[in-house]
Amino acid sequence: MRRRITLITGANGEVGHGLIRQLRAQPNPPDIVVLDLRSLDADVLPLVDQSIVGDILDVDLLENLSSEYDIDTIYHLAALLSTHSEFRPEAAHRVNVRGTLNLLHMAIDQAEWRGKPVTFIFPSSVAVYGMPNLTAKASAPPVSEDSYLNPITMYGCNKLYCEHLGRYYAQHYRQLAANPTPSGIDFRSVRFPGLISATTMPAGGTSDFAPEMLHHAADGKPYACFVRPDTTMPFMAMPDAIRALIELAQAPADALTRSVYNLTAFSLSAEQVAERVRAAFPHADITFAPTPGRQNIVDSWPANLDDSAARRDWGWMPEYDADRAFNDYLVPTIRAKYAHKTA
Ligand code: AKB
């Protein structure tokens, strides 16, 4: 008998660490196998059953994994984020698209072996949207899933295409076969807003100005924000993001009316983030030095997202609005994290 597991790719990132912890804290935690380019950090290593150092582009490795385990659920987190992807667009395409395709193939193979669907959870992003200009951004109502899908970043294009690939493999794969049968992939995706974690600094994203502002202030370091003070986008505290992934994975299939759902918790401008950071860390040294390229990227993302479909279909509800995110989660946890340095 092959051991039933949950597979997490890109597990060493900030979402991965939180996901491992929250899955482990479940009443009946699954066995967890993780795959990442770097060996899993020591603080979460004891929480997983196997940690594999490897690449999602290595199809032999994926085949071995597929033959060794009965993979029930895949959380496919591995990706190059938006800023990194602009510097290495072809590498981003390889990792973000080819890597996802490899995982989707693996899921089809698994579903065939086990005779049961494989739940495939794919975090997508607000980066799939492309607002045409600042006037449209300022006047648009909260953007719902099917409008403004004109991403201006490689990462946004990759995420949008992979959402479609997931829907294709789940619903239309081998549609011209003599006897078409379902592929067995139960593909479910969420479009995250900018995520803010109290424990880890993000790397390579363009929404990073908000967490960077906080972490720099707590660490006693000056911070030059790379977008204008009025730049507004939706955000979410990390614990909500992790809970959303798990809740979507556990939602009954017949409740879901879409394969991709917007998620949001609160929208703030960079200045409003700075005000909250200054209120918590009065010595914070925050200046604004917008860089045109990254500014343009955030300007293309909606100021607000409409997540009513997720609320209606699977009961999504953020627990952290802006006040609670800063007062109960971000500020106390970040303060404790850097306390030894600033004491
Ligand atoms: C990024 O900035 O690339 C990500 C995202 C918005 O998906 N945080």
Side-chain angles (χ1 to χ4, degrees):
M1 280 284 280
R2 296 180 315 156
R3 181 147 60 123
R4 177 168 305 175
I5 60 141
T6 287
L7 175 68
I8 306 175
T9 71
N12 229 354
E14 53 176 3
V15 178
H17 280 200
L19 182 61
I20 290 168
R21 288 184 205 286
Q22 280 205 32
L23 283 174
R24 260 294 166 244
Q26 301 267 297
N28 291 309
D31 286 357
I32 301 173
V33 172
V34 302
L35 173 60
D36 199 290
L37 285 175
R38 293 179 299 122
S39 62
L40 195 63
D41 290 350
D43 52 334
V44 278
L45 191 58
L47 303 178
V48 306
D49 297 89
Q50 194 186 351
S51 167
I52 300 165
V53 177
D55 193 336
I56 54 171
L57 296 174
D58 181 347
V59 285
D60 289 337
L61 170 69
L62 296 185
E63 263 176 34
N64 287 341
L65 256 176
S66 189
S67 62
E68 188 172 346
Y69 292 110
D70 173 9
I71 306 174
D72 188 54
T73 305
I74 299 173
Y75 291 91
H76 175 38
L77 310 180
L80 250 66
L81 294 183
S82 54
T83 293
H84 273 170
S85 294
E86 287 312 296
F87 286 111
R88 301 176 62 215
E90 287 74 26
H93 192 276
R94 269 196 305 280
V95 174
N96 296 347
V97 176
R98 172 49 71 183
T100 301
L101 202 63
N102 290 347
L103 266 298
L104 288 166
H105 274 290
M106 180 184 164
I108 292 177
D109 186 49
Q110 273 293 309
E112 206 175 308
W113 276 106
R114 65 202 305 268
K116 275 190 281 188
V118 172
T119 306
F120 194 105
I121 301 296
F122 181 68
S124 183
S125 163
V126 64
V128 300
Y129 295 106
M131 306 305 289
N133 51 53
L134 282 177
T135 314
K137 172 165 172 158
S139 60
V143 169
S144 57
E145 283 86 352
D146 299 322
S147 46
Y148 297 110
L149 293 172
N150 293 303
I152 67 159
T153 59
M154 178 54 112
Y155 172 73
C157 294
N158 295 164
K159 286 289 184 188
L160 184 57
Y161 177 53
C162 288
E163 290 177 4
H164 285 298
L165 283 180
R167 183 182 52 79
Y168 165 77
Y169 278 107
Q171 296 170 20
H172 305 292
Y173 183 56
R174 295 205 170 133
Q175 56 191 307
L176 297 186
N179 296 305
T181 49
S183 69
I185 295 186
D186 182 355
F187 179 85
R188 305 173 179 201
S189 177
V190 286
R191 288 183 188 150
F192 279 138
L195 300 182
I196 315 183
S197 164
T199 50
T200 43
M201 272 274 251
T206 320
S207 60
D208 293 1
F209 62 89
E212 283 175 358
M213 226 182 252
L214 257 165
H215 284 266
H216 278 74
D219 201 9
K221 293 182 176 155
Y223 183 68
C225 179
F226 57 80
V227 293
R228 291 185 315 270
D230 67 292
T231 308
T232 303
M233 65 168 289
F235 291 103
M236 180 179 287
M238 191 57 80
D240 268 342
I242 310 291
R243 190 171 52 78
L245 292 177
I246 296 175
E247 285 181 5
L248 179 61
Q250 293 175 348
D254 58 6
L256 304 181
T257 59
R258 333 178 33 94
S259 50
V260 180
Y261 289 91
N262 277 353
L263 292 184
T264 188
F266 51 89
S267 285
L268 291 176
S269 68
E271 179 58 31
Q272 287 169 324
V273 175
E275 279 164 14
R276 286 176 183 270
V277 174
R278 287 190 197 105
F281 302 98
H283 299 297
D285 178 2
I286 301 169
T287 50
F288 288 86
T291 59
R294 293 178 102 189
Q295 177 70 60
N296 200 38
I297 290 175
V298 188
D299 283 346
S300 78
W301 294 346
N304 294 287
L305 290 176
D306 173 359
D307 63 359
S308 53
R311 290 175 189 239
R312 180 196 64 221
D313 285 3
W314 45 282
W316 157 248
M317 182 60 74
E319 286 179 357
Y320 293 87
D321 61 9
D323 283 345
R324 206 175 155 224
F326 278 81
N327 301 340
D328 296 359
Y329 166 64
L330 293 169
V331 171
T333 319
I334 292 180
R335 193 170 268 144
K337 177 177 161 74
Y338 293 97
H340 67 287
K341 286 187 153 188
T342 48

